[in-house]
Amino acid sequence: GLILLFYLVFYGFLAALFTFTLWVMLQTLSSDIPKYRDRISSPGLMISPKPDTALEFYFNKSDSQSYLEYVTTLKNFLESYNDSKQSQNIDCTPGRIFEQNDAVVKKACRFNLSDLGPCSGKEDTNFGYSRGTPCVLVKMNRIIGLKPEGEPHIQCTPKDEGTVAITYFPPRGQIDLMYFPYYGKSLHAHYLQPLVAVQLAIHPNSTKEEIAIECKILGSPNLKNEDDRDKFLGRITFKVQMTE
Amino acid sequence: GLSSARAAEVLARDGPNALTPPKATPEIVKFLKQMVGGFSILLWIGAVFSWISFGIQLAQGAESPFDNLYLGVVLALVVILTGIFAYYQEAKSTNIMASFSKMIPQQALVIRDSEKKELPADQLVVGDLVEIKGGDRIPADIRLISAQGCKVDNSSLTGESEPQSRSCDFTHENPLETRNIAFYSTTCVEGTATGIVINTGDRTIIGRIASLASGVGNEKTPIAIEIEHFVYLVAGVAVSIGVVFFIISVSMRYKILDSIIFLIGIIVANVPEGLLATVTVSLSLTAKRMAKKNCLVKNLEAVETLGSTSIICSDKTGTLTQNRMTVAHLWFDNQIYSADTSEDQTTQPFDQTSPSWTALSKIVTLCNRAEFRPGQENLPIMKRVVVGDASETALLKFSEVILGDVMEIRARNKKVAEIPFNSTNKFQLSIHETDDPSDKRFLLVMKGAPERILERCSTIMINGKEEPLDSEKAEAFQTAYMELGGMGERVLGFCHLYLPEKEFPDTYQFDTDAMNFPTSNLCFVGLLSMIDPPRSTVPDAVSKCRSAGIKVIMVTGDHPITAKAIAKSVGIISATSETVEDIAKRLNIPVEQVNRREATAAVVNGMELKDMNSEQLDEILCNHSEIVFARTSPQQKLIIVEGCQRQGAVVAVTGDGVNDSPALKKADIGIAMGIAGSDAAKNAADMVLLDDNFASIVTGVEEGKNNNHLRTETLLINPQETGQCCPQGPDGLFLLQIPSVALAYEKAESDIMNRRPRNKRRDRLVNEQLAVYSYLQIGIMQSVGAFVTYFTVYAEQGFLPSTLLGVRVNWESNAINDFEDSYGQQWTKYQRTYLQWTGYTAFFVSITIQQVADLIIRKTRRNSIFRQGLFRNKVIWVGIFSQIGIALILTYGLGHVTALNFTPLRFQYWFVAVPFAILIWVYDEIRKLLIRRYPGSWWDKNMYY
């Protein structure tokens, strides 16, 4: 009995001590910006939709069930990009870093869904999957304070030439500098990260083949894309296999 | 004798006359034993588990399954390296052993084909006629057919230290008792004999005893039992923690396979990788130190056993005593004088002014046939080798110390006639010219059994004057004789007579056969008594044993009176305690009426022991704290050892003879004598005493006790394991365990020899309190400190503790490369993993820092650290600094070696855990304070380990 009480008190004390020290530690942190950001100096690339099975798309263009999940994911993802949701966002000056260090409330720049062309889901609610021209959205990870240099753009290349024709929206896969820098979740609540849609027109000869496509961010000296260990730093590889 | 042909026939039938050596374990088996024993098994299982989960992960196509492969390799390496180390250590001491037994092939003088031949002893067969002479080793069991003054030293067989005379007469039914049989491997001390070989090789008495020894099972050493116990404990803890986590992860909808890997990970994390190495290294360090103090340990586990010894059964001759007769007392002028009996006497302190002493010293010097071997002038007198029997040697050395060059004195007093000692006369006599040129008388000197000498005397010398020997003086002699005899000493009487010049002119021809000179009406001069005195270091050692709660039992073949006297003089029987007989004598009542419980001491005769059953023996061992077994045969030693073990004691036994080997083997720790010991004894023993000194055993015990740190080391390791299992820490965490070896250098807690030996049934190496204290208290405290650092690292990089809960699956998914932190930033898998490594490193560093506190508090179990002294053990600081050094190298030096998964760490994270380290120290000081303040309280019972 006594021993249980002892451990109750002992662990109670330790738990309190643990919570207290963590609380003290948390008090030293700002709620806006992490203390250190040296572990993410360069952003990773990611795609949407993201298949469960390790970035591999398998679908049958005549079977809507087979790509339903991708389409739904894309729809949900683009929900926040709807004009209705962007009412308080402002139009920024393209091609320039949009610094607003002094502003208390950081403004978010508008991203027009129409820039994504056929991949916006407005005209084609199936995002091209039913026609054998599936859309994949490529986005760059949000990193607080990141200011890309030069003219960053996404470029995707299939592993085997001629298997697929790639179209970019916005043209040339450009990522506009006006969306940077990001000021963090609490200060920059309505921030929308810029997207690049990649429409893959799969060559009729190459259906049923597994096509590996690598997308990279180019044109910016401070965005790395060739790290040996991190295969997603400034690049991403995914596979597409379409049947009819 | 036999013909060569017949001998060859018998040889072919019986085999050579040699003992079959004990089956030597092949080296490879010894080596493999090191690899798979006890702990190693646990580590192997850990390694296999790691490889299994590597296999599963590889089959699954996981990204980095190699971590588990490496972990398995590391575990296997630890076992193999430790095994090699332990093997090397033991091989080294085996080699020292081997050098002891450099056997010179023995020769025997045999009559074959009616010719005397020198043959190697192993060629002897039953029926051979052999001749032996003084100094020979008896080549087989032989029955004597002729003997001249033959004496044999049977000490290696029966433990009797006195040479036994041998003749052709059959005197006893028992072959061991009869006088006409000489045994294999005993030595002929003097005289010559001829005999017929009756037994050879393994059929000899000694051969039978030796084979008896190999039949006695070896007791498991306490440490082996402990380690087994510990392995079960650790396995139990590991498996149950693993299963709990397995259930949790399954109920949290993890995949079964992932959960299994997780389970294996936790089990492996709980394997104390470093403990095996720590135990081995710390035992060998202690073994090394013990070797310096003349205890050579044959197997490492014996070190720990010695530390937990609770009864020492010690031989007397040579172990407790110096194994040489020394003059202890003198009686002349109606007064007893004590002589110095220490090992390195150079002078004698007693009063030497009396003219009686001058006369006595002359007899002692002249009536003595012993001589120093030539060429030893530079050696101390006590170390010189003497030709002659034990008493004469004692007298020679005694007079050499007091008078100087004895040989020169003898030369000045030329011997003209002599009758050597024989058992019928019981005296020795010689007649000398005097060194006084003006005195032309001859001096007749005589020594021998006191009562016989006194019979021949009519006067007694008092203060240099001859006085008539009246009944009053005879009474005084009797009292002195009884007193000296009662001290267990061998007493000799001395008398002399100056032969009248007229009757014995210097041309007189003395005839020793006709005895044409007076041998009665002599002048009694004095008594000298001799004893094999205790070694000077022994009384102190015995009292140390006493305070450490170790019972010292003397087992000897000697006479009870001698045994008791020595026991009293070394403190085995303390000055105040009495035996049943003493009480009877004091109260003047018959022995049967004495309340046996009142007697704390007991002197048990071998004959009594023979008639006892085991309950009676148990009763004696239980009820008396001071016990002497006298007149015991070595076989009875085994019975005594078993009796002690029935009491639950850890028994150490010393022995030297072949016949001791069963007892040595049976004992928890057998201690063989390095100098006097036979090979068989050394083989059966766990430890060899290089200087044959009892005191060395006690220093050994002290070292072994200090090795109690072993316990603390195991417990030092446990908390890390608690911490380790939670986040699957970097593999390098086990490196932390290495500095704990430094505790082996810790000076003994000041009162270590005052603590009772641990009870092998109750006090486990890792007992409940210890496990509880280290796992549930210190371990948890360390984990708290380490987790604070861990969470700090994550929080300062953007992951607040609240975001970290329940994210394991997504966090570890290779497909998710936009994992969002608390600030809206997105992380790739590798970025997360790198952060995770930083977390581990921080965890590791925190544990390191807190281990410093842990290491310090483990220095003592009861005393305050401030009393023990923080800086007395320099090695521990070396350990602490090397630990921090290792941590520094791992974090900053090997930052890019992925296998170890360490990353450079911000400097401030090194200090996050410091307050927790201080807290651990303070907590432990309070714990120790309360234990000291309230002994026996609830706190003491639960918190003392």
Side-chain angles (χ1 to χ4, degrees), chain B residues 333 355-356 359-360 363 443-447 453-469 493-499 518-527:
Chain B
D333 294 346
S356 307
L360 182 59
I363 312 171
L443 174 63
L444 183 149
V445 289
M446 187 195 254
K447 75 163 189 239
I453 297 294
L454 195 74
E455 279 168 16
R456 296 170 183 275
C457 294
S458 55
T459 57
I460 183 163
M461 185 177 277
I462 306 288
N463 293 327
K465 289 191 201 69
E466 288 187 23
E467 292 179 14
L469 187 64
F494 294 83
C495 64
H496 73 182
L497 182 70
Y498 281 96
L499 301 177
T519 55
S520 57
N521 290 328
L522 310 176
C523 171
F524 192 86
V525 180
L527 294 171

Side-chain angles (χ1 to χ4, degrees), chain A residues 6-7 11 30-31 33-36 38-40 42 46 139 141-142 144 185 193 229-230 232-233, chain B residues 772 776-777 788 796-797 815 817-818 820 823-826 828 830-831 834 906 908 923 942-943:
Chain A
F6 170 79
Y7 277 101
Y11 289 146
S30 135
S31 60
I33 187 164
K35 193 164 178 183
Y36 301 114
D38 55 332
R39 288 283 163 262
I40 36 171
S42 192
M46 201 50 199
K139 62 194 175 77
N141 281 352
R142 290 193 294 262
I144 292 174
K185 197 155 86 177
Q193 61 201 117
R229 291 189 233 170
D230 194 346
F232 294 90
L233 198 68
Chain B
V772 161
L776 295 184
Q777 296 185 27
V788 167
E796 296 193 337
Q797 291 285 353
N817 281 290
D818 53 353
E820 204 175 307
Y823 293 87
Q825 306 188 92
Q826 291 167 319
T828 65
Y830 182 76
Q831 285 167 339
Y834 196 80
R906 282 198 161 74
Q908 70 261 30
Y923 173 69
N942 284 285
M943 297 296 158

Side-chain angles (χ1 to χ4, degrees), chain B residues 125-328:
Chain B
V125 296
V126 173
D128 263 331
L129 268 181
V130 291
E131 286 188 9
I132 50 171
K133 56 178 193 307
D136 283 355
R137 227 169 87 138
I138 313 283
D141 284 359
I142 55 177
R143 188 171 61 236
L144 303 187
I145 51 172
S146 77
Q148 289 85 39
C150 177
K151 277 189 176 176
V152 290
D153 177 5
N154 268 358
S155 59
S156 75
L157 187 63
T158 61
E160 292 159 303
S161 48
E162 293 287 299
Q164 309 286 308
S165 67
R166 282 288 177 263
S167 63
C168 331
D169 311 322
F170 168 78
T171 54
H172 203 283
E173 292 274 333
N174 184 341
L176 279 170
E177 300 277 333
T178 181
R179 285 188 177 274
N180 64 339
I181 291 182
F183 298 104
Y184 179 45
S185 93
T186 60
T187 26
C188 176
V189 187
E190 53 179 78
T192 56
T194 312
I196 298 176
V197 175
I198 50 172
N199 273 319
T200 57
D202 288 334
R203 287 169 302 283
T204 58
I205 296 288
I206 227 96
R208 273 182 254 169
I209 295 173
S211 58
L212 188 68
S214 49
V216 174
N218 226 337
E219 291 276 295
K220 253 189 187 169
T221 61
I223 181 95
I225 299 170
E226 287 313 316
I227 286 185
E228 207 167 273
H229 175 80
F230 182 72
V231 167
Y232 288 136
L233 200 89
V234 166
V237 169
V239 169
S240 44
I241 294 179
V243 166
V244 167
F245 274 73
F246 180 76
I247 293 169
I248 291 175
S249 51
V250 167
S251 58
M252 280 169 78
R253 311 257 170 94
Y254 283 79
K255 278 188 221 141
I256 294 288
L257 215 50
D258 285 343
S259 302
I260 289 175
I261 289 174
F262 196 42
L263 167 82
I264 291 176
I266 281 172
I267 292 177
V268 172
N270 264 289
V271 173
E273 304 93 340
L275 186 54
L276 179 64
T278 312
V279 168
T280 315
V281 170
S282 119
L283 283 179
S284 8
L285 280 177
T286 312
K288 216 167 154 190
R289 264 184 297 168
M290 282 164 84
K292 260 189 219 151
K293 294 181 179 169
N294 289 322
C295 299
L296 184 73
V297 174
K298 271 173 66 191
N299 69 46
L300 288 180
E301 291 176 353
V303 172
E304 210 280 334
T305 318
L306 195 61
S308 39
T309 299
S310 54
I311 294 184
I312 302 176
C313 292
S314 177
D315 270 348
K316 178 182 137 300
T317 313
T319 315
L320 295 170
T321 65
Q322 301 170 15
N323 196 16
R324 63 158 179 243
M325 278 303 193
T326 306
V327 174

Side-chain angles (χ1 to χ4, degrees), chain A:
Chain A
L2 204 50
I3 194 84
L4 280 179
L5 187 73
F6 170 79
Y7 277 101
L8 210 65
V9 172
F10 184 73
Y11 289 146
F13 168 73
L14 284 185
L17 185 74
F18 181 69
T19 324
F20 175 72
T21 18
L22 279 188
W23 180 78
V24 168
M25 185 269 292
L26 291 178
Q27 296 314 300
T28 67
L29 301 180
S30 135
S31 60
D32 303 334
I33 187 164
K35 193 164 178 183
Y36 301 114
R37 300 191 306 275
D38 55 332
R39 288 283 163 262
I40 36 171
S41 50
S42 192
L45 279 196
M46 201 50 199
I47 53 169
S48 180
K50 185 193 76 65
D52 276 345
T53 50
L55 302 180
E56 286 163 6
F57 294 83
Y58 298 103
F59 67 96
N60 188 334
K61 75 173 183 184
S62 35
D63 174 8
S64 67
Q65 274 304 313
S66 67
Y67 52 80
L68 177 69
E69 197 197 329
Y70 306 143
V71 172
T72 329
T73 314
L74 279 173
K75 267 188 192 145
N76 291 341
F77 182 73
L78 291 176
E79 192 81 357
S80 52
Y81 287 82
N82 268 341
D83 291 343
S84 54
K85 293 266 169 78
Q86 295 203 53
S87 51
Q88 71 274 64
N89 290 3
I90 57 163
D91 293 313
C92 305
T93 326
R96 274 180 48 197
I97 296 281
F98 179 45
E99 300 231 31
Q100 36 184 340
N101 291 340
D102 304 330
V104 181
V105 178
K106 319 288 183 191
K107 300 262 190 244
C109 293
R110 185 185 308 279
F111 185 89
N112 285 323
L113 259 191
S114 51
D115 288 352
L116 297 181
C119 293
S120 66
K122 281 184 174 152
E123 297 101 60
D124 181 359
T125 50
N126 282 330
F127 296 91
Y129 282 84
S130 56
R131 283 184 234 150
T133 55
C135 284
V136 174
L137 295 177
V138 180
K139 62 194 175 77
M140 204 168 80
N141 281 352
R142 290 193 294 262
I143 290 175
I144 292 174
L146 177 74
K147 292 178 229 169
E149 293 159 11
E151 291 186 349
H153 62 275
I154 300 290
Q155 194 182 60
C156 297
T157 41
K159 206 173 177 197
D160 302 307
E161 288 284 328
T163 48
V164 66
I166 297 170
T167 328
Y168 302 96
F169 305 95
R172 301 193 319 280
Q174 198 161 4
I175 294 173
D176 205 296
L177 294 182
M178 69 183 177
Y179 298 103
F180 300 96
Y182 174 50
Y183 285 98
K185 197 155 86 177
S186 66
L187 292 179
H188 218 161
H190 299 285
Y191 178 82
L192 288 172
Q193 61 201 117
L195 303 173
V196 171
V198 182
Q199 188 162 38
L200 310 164
I202 295 164
H203 201 273
N205 294 344
S206 304
T207 51
K208 293 184 186 163
E209 266 178 46
E210 206 178 64
I211 306 163
I213 296 161
E214 187 186 48
C215 295
K216 272 187 178 176
I217 186 146
L218 295 174
S220 173
N222 67 342
L223 302 182
K224 291 185 203 133
N225 58 13
E226 258 164 3
D227 193 271
D228 282 340
R229 291 189 233 170
D230 194 346
K231 301 276 185 268
F232 294 90
L233 198 68
R235 59 180 161 161
I236 185 166
T237 307
F238 58 93
K239 288 174 182 167
V240 180
Q241 190 180 28
M242 187 184 71
T243 48
E244 284 181 69

Side-chain angles (χ1 to χ4, degrees), chain B residues 49 64 144 169 252 290 330 452 612 925:
Chain B
F49 271 1
S64 55
L144 303 187
D169 311 322
M252 280 169 78
M290 282 164 84
L330 306 93
R452 294 298 184 89
M612 279 183 200
E925 279 297 323

Side-chain angles (χ1 to χ4, degrees), chain B residues 423-620:
Chain B
S423 45
T424 22
N425 287 344
K426 290 206 191 282
F427 69 78
Q428 177 180 355
L429 176 154
S430 57
I431 299 169
H432 299 260
E433 294 169 2
T434 60
D435 54 353
D436 183 356
S438 57
D439 191 350
K440 291 284 175 230
R441 292 177 298 176
F442 285 104
L443 174 63
L444 183 149
V445 289
M446 187 195 254
K447 75 163 189 239
E451 65 279 9
R452 294 298 184 89
I453 297 294
L454 195 74
E455 279 168 16
R456 296 170 183 275
C457 294
S458 55
T459 57
I460 183 163
M461 185 177 277
I462 306 288
N463 293 327
K465 289 191 201 69
E466 288 187 23
E467 292 179 14
L469 187 64
D470 51 30
S471 60
E472 186 193 336
K473 295 206 170 68
E475 186 70 18
F477 159 85
Q478 277 302 336
T479 321
Y481 182 28
M482 293 306 291
E483 188 172 344
L484 296 177
M487 285 191 276
E489 295 175 8
R490 183 192 296 171
V491 191
L492 287 177
F494 294 83
C495 64
H496 73 182
L497 182 70
Y498 281 96
L499 301 177
E501 201 181 346
K502 282 176 198 150
E503 285 173 57
F504 302 97
D506 50 1
T507 51
Y508 190 83
Q509 284 299 312
F510 291 98
D511 184 344
T512 52
D513 293 323
M515 298 254 235
N516 57 353
F517 46 83
T519 55
S520 57
N521 290 328
L522 310 176
C523 171
F524 192 86
V525 180
L527 294 171
L528 248 72
S529 66
M530 282 161 288
I531 197 163
D532 180 9
R535 289 168 184 266
S536 50
T537 45
V538 168
D540 191 36
V542 171
S543 79
K544 262 190 185 169
C545 284
R546 245 170 217 285
S547 58
I550 302 168
K551 199 163 161 180
V552 182
I553 294 179
M554 184 200 272
V555 182
T556 176
D558 259 326
H559 197 272
I561 295 177
T562 319
K564 193 175 160 193
I566 292 292
K568 281 211 151 164
S569 68
V570 298
I572 288 179
I573 294 182
S574 49
T576 51
S577 61
E578 292 176 306
T579 63
V580 173
E581 290 78 14
D582 290 337
I583 295 175
K585 205 170 148 195
R586 178 165 56 86
L587 300 177
N588 215 355
I589 49 172
V591 173
E592 293 75 30
Q593 290 177 13
V594 176
N595 179 3
R596 293 193 163 261
R597 298 284 157 105
E598 271 177 32
T600 46
V603 178
V604 183
N605 197 313
M607 298 309 279
E608 295 166 37
L609 188 58
K610 214 179 247 172
D611 302 327
M612 279 183 200
N613 56 27
S614 49
E615 283 89 56
Q616 283 168 312
L617 179 60
D618 286 355
E619 199 190 304
I620 286 182

